[in-house]
Amino acid sequence: MTEISVNSDRQYAVSIGINWVEELGRISGNFQRVLIVIPQSLRILFRIDDVIGDLKNCIIFDTTDGESQKSAETLTHIWGKLGDENFTRSDAIIAIGGGATTDLAGFAASSWLRGIQWFAFPTTLAGMVDASVGGKTGINTDAGKNLVGAFYSPSAVLMDPSFLHSLSDRDFAAGMAEVIKTGFIADSEILSLIDSAASLIEIRGKAPALIEKSITVKARVVSADFKEGKLREILNYGHTLGHAIEKHADYQMRHGEAIAIGLVFAAELSRELCGLAESSVDVHRQLLSRFGLPITYPAQAWPQLLDLMRSDKKSRGSRLRFVGISRIGQPDWIEAASDQLLAQVYGRISS
Ligand SMILES: NC(=O)c1ccc[n+]([C@@H]2O[C@H](COP(=O)([O-])OP(=O)(O)OC[C@H]3O[C@@H](n4cnc5c(N)ncnc54)[C@H](O)[C@@H]3O)[C@@H](O)[C@H]2O)c1
């Protein structure tokens, strides 16, 4: 078991390589009651009812799958449940699921009684390397994705890599986009580990090492800049265009799939403005393609993508900001890209 410490609004440990059944028993034993928030499909897959059979203080709240659970409606139902059960500050919430579940449950914990403890048991690769670490929680509304939320860290993040055995190749690949992003901004060893694996099965076998390396980077960054002053923005490499593509595709793509396209765009932009070598841009395409991740997007979408990037909650003022890299492991901030250059760079990644 490896432990990585995060020091942000609170200090907490991310434990990689735990046994989730044992940890669930241990944590629930520390509270009067715990509400376990979990998608119904995972409740069945992981036989949660059998696992908590003897744990009398565990109450299950099951959600729908995927993005649909990150809604004001589900949040209201969770509040209702917490009220019915008279949850106090001696009680806690446990999230078991992907990033959508940890975002929802973390936000519920932040808002009940102005904050009760919560614990994350991420079950997807994206949830492990990204969503559960860093303290961003939230839901989607008609106004947009993740616009309502809070910075509210869990008390602990518990990772059992055996959860990944049942994860589809598509969801594994989506998580790998964030792992690859982390490699480009901060740790070339991540890229070497992926590159040296002969097959996707071998890469799945290396997941614990890739998770550990990715979280080490994220923990360092969010510990230094929890509320995204400037440094934390480096985690958004590939995300300016990626978020716009997600929205343009009406959230029918996985987050990591949209980010994969955004990464190639950010790399091409970095070649123009940060001096990134062409060979490093090629490495982006090679590594992402290994997982079947998309690296192009339709040419005619550009005007709408530009509008969407301008309206993104992360843009500040009218000028678009991008994170670039000048070489692998060396992030840079791009604020002076003209519309003409952006269109030209998009031309290189469009289909
Ligand atoms: N808070 C943050 O910092 C942050 C960062 C990145 C992404 N996110 C959010 O995370 C979400 C994306 O995360 P995600 O890709 O984990 O999505 P997700 O939670 O929707 O999970 C994807 C799918 O995988 C299934 N699944 C989960 N674990 C499984 C397992 N072990 N075996 C089989 N199937 C399993 C889920 O039921 C779901 O259908 C988005 O809502 C995004 O906004 C948050």
Side-chain angles (χ1 to χ4, degrees):
M1 202 258 284
T2 308
E3 227 175 65
I4 298 169
S5 174
V6 184
N7 197 352
S8 49
D9 54 336
R10 69 175 85 190
Q11 186 164 4
Y12 61 97
V14 179
S15 304
I16 307 162
I18 52 98
N19 175 308
W20 72 272
V21 175
E22 284 173 19
E23 286 302 306
L24 192 63
R26 185 184 65 78
I27 290 169
S28 59
N30 292 337
F31 294 90
Q32 227 165 8
R33 271 152 324 153
V34 296
L35 185 76
I36 299 176
V37 177
I38 182 169
Q40 195 184 32
S41 62
L42 300 186
R43 177 178 182 172
I44 295 164
L45 183 67
F46 302 139
R47 299 171 188 272
I48 295 290
D49 295 75
D50 294 342
V51 170
I52 66 160
D54 295 332
L55 306 172
K56 299 283 176 247
N57 64 339
C58 292
I59 300 157
I60 298 180
F61 181 93
D62 52 25
T63 67
T64 52
D65 243 357
E67 281 305 298
S68 66
Q69 69 196 283
K70 281 176 64 173
S71 67
E73 192 190 358
T74 314
L75 184 63
T76 307
H77 284 136
I78 295 179
W79 287 333
K81 188 76 178 166
L82 294 169
D84 289 347
E85 301 286 345
N86 291 314
F87 259 54
T88 70
R89 291 211 178 98
S90 310
D91 305 315
I93 292 179
I94 292 179
I96 305 179
T101 308
T102 51
D103 275 11
L104 166 74
F107 188 46
S110 79
S111 52
W112 186 252
L113 301 178
R114 299 187 179 82
I116 62 172
Q117 290 196 58
W118 75 285
F119 297 81
F121 285 74
T123 61
T124 61
L125 185 58
M128 291 181 190
V129 299
D130 199 6
S132 67
V133 179
K136 283 187 183 177
T137 68
I139 57 166
N140 306 325
T141 61
D142 289 345
K145 192 169 141 75
N146 295 331
L147 291 182
V148 175
F151 284 101
Y152 191 70
S153 294
S155 297
V157 182
L158 295 311
M159 294 188 191
D160 186 337
S162 75
F163 276 134
L164 300 179
H165 296 161
S166 53
L167 197 65
S168 67
D169 286 342
R170 183 178 181 189
D171 280 306
F172 188 83
M176 281 305 298
E178 294 288 353
V179 173
I180 290 169
K181 172 207 76 180
T182 308
F184 280 116
I185 57 169
D187 185 353
S188 61
E189 271 187 43
I190 289 178
L191 307 179
S192 308
L193 263 178
I194 299 168
D195 196 39
S196 63
S199 64
L200 294 186
I201 293 175
E202 204 179 310
I203 293 172
R204 274 196 181 248
K206 290 181 179 183
L210 292 168
I211 291 167
E212 185 181 329
K213 284 183 179 300
S214 301
I215 292 172
T216 300
V217 171
K218 185 149 187 192
R220 175 168 53 79
V221 172
V222 300
S223 296
D225 177 19
F226 181 48
K227 293 208 171 167
E228 210 163 84
K230 183 164 185 194
L231 177 67
R232 189 169 176 164
E233 286 181 347
I234 67 171
L235 300 173
N236 291 331
Y237 183 52
H239 283 56
T240 311
L241 182 67
H243 281 148
I245 288 176
E246 256 189 305
K247 205 164 186 180
H248 186 265
D250 210 12
Y251 300 105
Q252 296 308 303
M253 296 173 93
R254 296 287 196 268
H255 174 72
E257 292 168 349
I259 296 311
I261 304 166
L263 284 171
V264 181
F265 179 82
E268 287 284 6
L269 195 59
S270 300
R271 175 149 81 99
E272 287 296 328
L273 295 176
C274 312
L276 183 67
E278 194 175 342
S279 57
S280 298
V281 181
D282 292 341
V283 178
H284 283 71
R285 289 195 169 90
Q286 282 158 20
L287 289 181
L288 294 163
S289 302
R290 278 197 80 177
F291 298 92
L293 287 162
I295 53 171
T296 63
Y297 203 68
Q300 65 271 22
W302 177 245
Q304 287 159 290
L305 293 175
L306 194 58
D307 283 350
L308 288 166
M309 285 193 285
R310 291 220 162 89
S311 61
D312 189 277
K313 70 180 190 296
K314 287 198 171 111
S315 70
R316 298 180 186 183
S318 59
R319 180 162 278 182
L320 282 175
R321 290 156 61 85
F322 294 87
V323 175
I325 55 173
S326 53
R327 57 187 166 78
I328 293 172
Q330 189 58 61
D332 205 348
W333 283 259
I334 299 171
E335 299 193 23
S338 66
D339 282 6
Q340 194 189 358
L341 178 69
L342 292 174
Q344 185 191 321
V345 167
Y346 185 73
R348 288 191 211 144
I349 71 144
S350 61
S351 52

